[in-house]
Amino acid sequence: MSTHDIDDQYVRFINVKKSYDQQSLVVKDFSLDIRKGEFVTLLGPSGSGKTTCLMMLAGFEDVTSGTIQINGKSVQDVAPYHRNIGMVFQHYALFPHMTIAENLAYPLKVRKLPASEVKQKVKDALALVELDAFGGRYPGQLSGGQKQRVALARSLIFEPSIVLMDEPLGALDKNLREHMQYEIKRLHEQLGFTAIYVTHDQTEALTMSDRIAVFNDGVVQQCASPSALYETPANSFVADFIGENNHINGKVESNNGEIAEISLSRGDRVRALDINCPPVGEPCVLAVRPENLFIATAGREYDNVISAEFITRLYVGDSIRYFFKMSDGAELMVKVLNDQDAPIIEPGAPTRLTWATERGLALDKPAGKNPVKAA
Amino acid sequence: MAQFPRYFTIWQKLGLTGVKLTAWLVLLFLMAPILVIIPLSFNAEPYFTFTEGMLAFDPDAYSLKWYQEILAEDKWMLAIKNSFYIGIMATIIATVLGTTAAIGLTRSEMPFQRMIMALLLSPMIVPLIITAAGMFFFYTQLDIAGSYLGVILAHAALGTPFVVITVNAALSGFDYSLVRASLGMGAKPVYTFFKVIMPLIRPGVISGALFAFVTSFDEVIVVLFLAGPEQRTIPRQMFSGLREEINPTILAVATLLVIISGLLLLTMEYLRARSEKMRTG
Ligand SMILES: Nc1ncnc2c1ncn2[C@@H]1O[C@H](COP(=O)(O)OP(=O)(O)O)[C@@H](O)[C@H]1O
Ligand SMILES: [Mg+2]
């Protein structure tokens, strides 16, 4: 294997399965290759097995079956304290009985670095997260954002090549979270470690990651760059989970492998890109993002038109959201920039909505909530 | 007297006063034996009752001679030495066993947690006389009845449940992600125990140790069964002193015991307050 391949597969999850109770699988057949220096996010609803994957990589949980490799070597026989992986915990996990400086020095003292070097590195680490004056304080005397920065600095100070972050910003308020997202990205670019980040916040995932693995039900639904996830979601779960999406139920009438023709409940025929379209004759879902759905101007002809009844509009600030209801009860949302053109519609008025064919996605119907049995 | 809320009726005022009075009387009832012992131990006369001089606060009616008596008598000095020696050794054993047991029992992968916990705590619930009788027969078989080892092991067994309880309580607020954080940073489990777990549960360990010490220090039943003349402890010596001697030396010893217990209690309270503060950050 060339070094190039090894760098492309620096961290590998190969068919990893995990069961806590020997009955049901929490992680089902998880495979993921992570490039050296890459920033990969595991994104998924809570309970989907993200933390479990990190814990298996860090060595705090056993792997039920499958393999995890780092740099071409299986890690399962390596004790957690020999794996050399940095970790940021959701609730910081700072040692409350040690000062900030002692917390930062901990991994260095464990490695028996000379005192002068420890001192210098602690100083540098404090500077890195802009907490120079806080070395002598205890974690209980810091704010949430400051604690988070200490936790980050502590995970980096022993220069691990891999850093795991489990919802590190979950407990922070919005402004602080955005600031910390920026800090983490800055440190990642500056230091070049391989980052595996866990969040259930899709905006966070979209803004920070090189690649996002969307998790649901212990399975990776799609792993791709943020723009690919947003623009061409692989299935209806991803389409729904990433960003907002309108879902319109229909039936596949024809499909030329690129464009699918779909008939809607009232007999309207519309066209959309075939992304994950079921076979002809099967029910399907048509997904159109609110910013790609437009209110049709009277008298003009469009490719795809559906009619719906206006319900209400919601003033958001930079945009206005218009809510519509289709005759089959499905609700639709249209996002319009807040400028002079934002139309005013009477409640209850029948309205025509339209989209460009390449902006509509023909997708599978989401599976019902059938619990999947362990293999 | 505290002010009553203005909406109180006369009956509510009377009722509340009655409740407070009863509470003070109960407290007095509980404290009276201790409170009587302390002044009597300074009695200048060899009596167990207040003399007229004492009641008149005549300084000559008070003396320290029963305290000097303790220092002068070999049997009391031996008893004091024995009590501390047995108490400290039993406390060390109970603390090590109780702490490790509590840590093991709080791990989620530990099977039969409740059952093992109940077994560990049983010396607290089973009547002491039964435990003592059982130990007597068992230790006689092992040929350690009537030896320091026997008494120390017996007292360690009685003290361990207290350590299990206090350490268990200290661990209930313990964040196990700290252990993972430590391991993840490269610290081995033993290093993690001494640098992370131990400092955070130390108040629980120390108060458990103090309980174990007091348990041994106070204990007389097991000592009656297991100790030979060489191992007589303070309570055991007092027990025989009650019948053999008729002077207030025993009251002076009792006063010393009250003071030691009081100091231990204050230490425990201080530790409890401190651990509370540590937990809330
Ligand atoms: N130590 C554990 N023992 C048993 N079940 C667990 C344990 N940790 C997590 N689980 C279960 O595994 C599932 C996935 O959990 P987790 O990996 O924490 O999900 P996420 O981090 O995506 O929210 C959940 O249903 C959770 O209840
Ligand atoms: Mg989680």
Side-chain angles (χ1 to χ4, degrees):
Chain A
M1 203 187 271
S2 72
T3 49
H4 177 78
D5 284 342
I6 284 197
D7 277 357
D8 269 358
Q9 301 179 328
Y10 188 60
V11 178
R12 300 193 75 188
F13 288 87
I14 306 166
N15 304 113
V16 172
K17 294 181 181 145
K18 172 69 184 177
S19 169
Y20 284 106
D21 54 5
Q22 321 305 329
Q23 282 170 28
S24 57
L25 287 175
V26 168
V27 175
K28 302 161 191 152
D29 212 19
F30 174 52
S31 294
L32 181 65
D33 288 354
I34 297 169
R35 227 174 33 245
K36 193 167 189 162
E38 196 175 17
F39 196 115
V40 171
T41 297
L42 309 184
L43 172 68
S46 113
S48 56
K50 309 178 297 292
T51 299
T52 304
C53 287
L54 285 198
M55 291 302 158
M56 288 189 288
L57 178 55
F60 302 133
E61 292 291 351
D62 294 335
V63 176
T64 306
S65 82
T67 314
I68 299 177
Q69 292 180 350
I70 296 176
N71 208 7
K73 287 188 211 74
S74 167
V75 293
Q76 269 122 295
D77 303 327
V78 183
Y81 40 90
H82 286 142
R83 292 196 189 186
N84 208 31
I85 295 176
M87 178 128 192
V88 183
F89 292 83
Q90 181 165 5
H91 299 290
Y92 322 122
L94 298 178
F95 302 130
H97 57 297
M98 298 182 196
T99 63
I100 302 309
E102 285 165 348
N103 264 282
L104 293 174
Y106 190 85
L108 306 178
K109 287 199 178 141
V110 167
R111 287 171 175 73
K112 301 201 167 67
L113 261 62
S116 59
E117 204 179 329
V118 170
K119 210 170 154 198
Q120 187 56 43
K121 287 200 176 209
V122 168
K123 199 163 160 261
D124 293 348
L126 285 170
L128 188 69
V129 292
E130 292 158 11
L131 286 172
D132 308 70
F134 291 82
R137 294 213 198 169
Y138 284 89
Q141 298 168 309
L142 299 191
S143 73
Q146 291 168 334
K147 280 191 245 190
Q148 195 55 69
R149 277 188 280 167
V150 176
L152 191 61
R154 194 181 63 173
S155 74
L156 299 172
I157 197 166
F158 59 101
E159 291 162 25
S161 53
I162 302 168
V163 178
L164 313 182
M165 297 180 235
D166 189 3
E167 311 210 16
L169 309 181
L172 304 184
D173 64 42
K174 188 167 168 290
N175 281 338
L176 203 52
R177 206 159 62 214
E178 283 171 4
H179 177 68
M180 284 301 298
Q181 289 171 5
Y182 167 80
E183 296 263 304
I184 292 173
K185 274 308 279 181
R186 176 176 69 88
L187 291 172
H188 175 248
E189 268 149 38
Q190 190 178 336
L191 304 173
F193 52 87
T194 305
I196 306 179
Y197 192 94
V198 162
T199 181
H200 64 261
D201 178 344
Q202 41 130 338
T203 324
E204 194 165 293
L206 289 173
T207 52
M208 298 181 75
S209 324
D210 295 330
R211 270 191 312 152
I212 301 171
V214 181
F215 249 70
N216 190 36
D217 229 5
V219 179
V220 174
Q221 304 285 336
Q222 186 176 8
C223 182
S225 69
S227 60
L229 278 186
Y230 193 81
E231 280 151 31
T232 50
N235 57 40
S236 50
F237 176 83
V238 179
D240 201 32
F241 196 73
I242 307 281
E244 293 165 311
N245 236 324
N246 289 303
H247 284 208
I248 305 164
N249 288 312
K251 201 174 93 188
V252 186
E253 288 297 332
S254 70
N255 187 348
N256 67 5
E258 201 173 322
I259 306 285
E261 204 172 7
I262 299 165
S263 65
L264 304 182
S265 56
R266 281 206 337 190
D268 295 333
R269 285 199 167 209
V270 295
R271 279 140 48 88
L273 281 186
D274 169 13
I275 297 289
N276 187 22
C277 189
V280 171
E282 297 278 311
C284 70
V285 166
L286 168 63
V288 188
R289 297 229 178 253
E291 66 269 26
N292 293 330
L293 193 61
F294 296 97
I295 299 167
T297 324
R300 265 185 64 187
E301 282 299 311
Y302 295 94
D303 283 353
N304 306 295
V305 174
I306 51 172
S307 17
E309 189 181 298
F310 176 68
I311 306 170
T312 187
R313 51 179 239 164
L314 205 72
Y315 187 86
V316 185
D318 57 347
S319 65
I320 299 178
R321 289 160 182 232
Y322 292 78
F323 291 89
F324 298 90
K325 196 169 177 177
M326 295 194 12
S327 55
D328 65 358
E331 287 202 6
L332 299 177
M333 179 172 65
V334 176
K335 202 158 132 190
V336 179
L337 274 185
N338 185 10
D339 57 17
Q340 283 79 2
D341 292 343
I344 298 193
I345 315 176
E346 287 292 317
T351 315
R352 294 189 309 154
L353 303 176
T354 178
W355 66 92
T357 299
E358 68 276 11
R359 293 294 184 187
L361 310 176
L363 297 169
D364 55 304
K365 235 178 140 56
K369 283 280 165 196
N370 300 329
V372 185
K373 281 269 150 55
Chain B
M1 260 290 143
Q3 282 228 292
F4 296 113
R6 283 175 52 182
Y7 54 79
F8 261 35
T9 63
I10 179 75
W11 296 112
Q12 281 175 312
K13 287 181 193 173
L14 279 176
L16 191 63
T17 314
V19 168
K20 284 187 180 173
L21 202 67
T22 318
W24 282 109
L25 285 174
V26 170
L27 187 65
L28 187 69
F29 176 75
L30 293 174
M31 298 293 292
I34 299 172
L35 294 178
V36 168
I37 278 175
I38 293 173
L40 280 181
S41 72
F42 296 102
N43 200 342
E45 306 293 325
Y47 303 135
F48 288 95
T49 53
F50 287 99
T51 57
E52 272 177 26
M54 289 182 88
L55 292 174
F57 293 107
D58 176 3
D60 290 341
Y62 292 89
S63 89
L64 286 173
K65 71 184 199 201
W66 308 119
Y67 289 88
Q68 288 158 353
E69 194 82 356
I70 299 174
L71 296 176
E73 281 200 56
D74 286 345
K75 61 181 184 201
W76 282 114
M77 290 315 286
L78 176 69
I80 290 172
K81 241 189 298 179
N82 278 342
S83 268
F84 278 98
Y85 175 62
I86 292 169
I88 289 168
M89 297 309 280
T91 300
I92 292 171
I93 296 172
T95 307
V96 172
L97 292 181
T99 304
T100 43
I103 290 174
L105 278 172
T106 47
R107 299 197 54 137
S108 57
E109 63 261 38
M110 178 77 200
F112 311 117
Q113 283 180 353
R114 282 167 178 280
M115 207 184 77
I116 296 172
M117 187 73 158
L119 282 176
L120 281 179
L121 300 188
S122 62
M124 283 174 75
I125 297 144
V126 176
L128 199 49
I129 188 87
I130 294 175
T131 311
M135 282 172 171
F136 175 71
F137 292 119
F138 182 50
Y139 287 9
T140 309
Q141 292 286 311
L142 295 178
D143 211 19
I144 53 171
S147 73
Y148 279 107
L149 181 63
V151 182
I152 288 170
L153 287 181
H155 278 183
L158 296 182
T160 303
F162 293 99
V163 183
V164 173
I165 287 177
T166 56
V167 175
N168 203 44
L171 282 168
S172 73
F174 185 80
D175 177 6
Y176 270 93
S177 66
L178 296 180
V179 172
R180 292 186 161 185
S182 172
L183 295 175
M185 287 187 282
K188 300 224 170 95
V190 174
Y191 188 92
T192 301
F193 174 79
F194 284 107
K195 294 285 178 178
V196 177
I197 302 180
M198 196 56 196
L200 290 170
I201 62 169
R202 186 174 292 141
V205 174
I206 295 177
S207 66
L210 292 178
F211 270 116
F213 182 76
V214 171
T215 305
S216 163
F217 209 64
D218 275 356
E219 209 285 324
V220 69
I221 300 178
V222 168
V223 174
L224 279 172
F225 275 78
L226 287 178
E230 283 297 297
Q231 291 91 37
R232 283 196 169 191
T233 59
I234 299 173
R236 175 71 182 82
Q237 188 58 43
M238 288 170 77
F239 188 77
S240 31
L242 271 180
R243 284 170 306 166
E244 294 161 12
E245 297 176 58
I246 30 171
N247 71 44
T249 314
I250 200 166
L251 297 182
V253 175
T255 303
L256 290 180
L257 286 188
V258 168
I259 290 169
I260 291 170
S261 301
L263 287 178
L264 291 178
L265 203 75
L266 285 178
T267 317
M268 273 185 247
E269 185 52 31
Y270 167 76
L271 288 171
R272 196 193 56 75
R274 215 182 66 160
S275 76
E276 203 127 284
K277 214 172 108 200
M278 200 135 100
R279 197 161 298 167
T280 53

